[in-house]
Amino acid sequence: MSEREKPRREATLNQLTLGGGGAEVTARRRAEAGPALPQAYTNRYEIKYLVAARDLAKVRHAFEGLLEGDANNGDNGGYFNHSIYFDSPHYRYYTEKHEGQLARVKPRLRFYRATAYAPPSAIYLELKGRYDRIVAKRRTRLDMATAEALLRGNDPAAAMAHNGDAVAKEFTYLAHRFNLQPCVTVLYHREAFFSALYKSLRVTFDSGLLCSLATEPLNPLESYQQGLPNGETVLEVKYNDQIPKILLTRLNTLGLQQRTFSKFAVSLERCFDQFRSRRFRASRFA
């Protein structure tokens, strides 16, 4: 971004903040833009690639000497992200993604697991906001009882009465305004890497993407289907301000093409037959 462009971009980002202007202005901004992008993350970017199984070893080799495995990878070389996304009965957030709106948000519960069916090591309620290419993820930690209450459709304000932080309040507002309910589960194996030289750089390999319209804390295996039937791996590169030139050079040498890719949207589309016939039923628990 040139110096001439920066003031215009920063002014646009300021429109996403929710403070000032009274209750009516705040409510309108919430409805139009979702959560604010915290200033600390206004220059955080994320680019994605789909890597065919035949090319995966070559891509891994290209990153040797530049990246180190994250401590969260565990004994099996990675961990599992188990995400349950929320949307309105008319699929507001899916539509915003499909139409390419610049400002949008994805509310979700995320369970971190050592294996696909291990007890979660942590549970978070997350609001992933985006303005164009700029991303920001805010989250608050939950216990299992609170996560189950949200998945059952309980009143978020009551379920999170003990949690007074901004993320809980923001989700409660959005849930009430748009009648949010859990809509799709996404499960995949993640390997995460960082660079000792480029502190803000994070690279992840997400493989074995599964999706389901079942939205319980632990779905039966038979409820899932393949999110990427050709077995591709999603390569994500996250960085602040500018991508390191050495990494960009290696990506270009590999011939990889950037992709606009949403696990949330792809998973809903893959489940389309069920997605069309099941208009948001509450999660069922024994």
Side-chain angles (χ1 to χ4, degrees), residues 49 55 58-63 66 235 243-258:
Y49 305 85
D55 298 326
K58 180 173 61 175
V59 173
R60 291 181 183 277
H61 179 71
F63 291 148
L66 179 61
L235 170 63
I243 187 171
K245 289 184 179 180
I246 185 173
L247 181 64
L248 185 60
T249 299
R250 295 187 185 189
L251 289 169
N252 290 338
T253 300
L254 291 167
L256 297 179
Q257 299 295 317
Q258 291 186 32

Side-chain angles (χ1 to χ4, degrees), residues 130-148:
R130 177 182 289 272
Y131 181 82
D132 197 3
R133 292 173 52 242
I134 301 173
V135 297
K137 183 172 70 176
R138 298 182 294 145
R139 65 185 187 178
T140 185
R141 191 158 184 167
L142 303 181
D143 56 30
M144 180 61 81
T146 303
E148 289 180 346

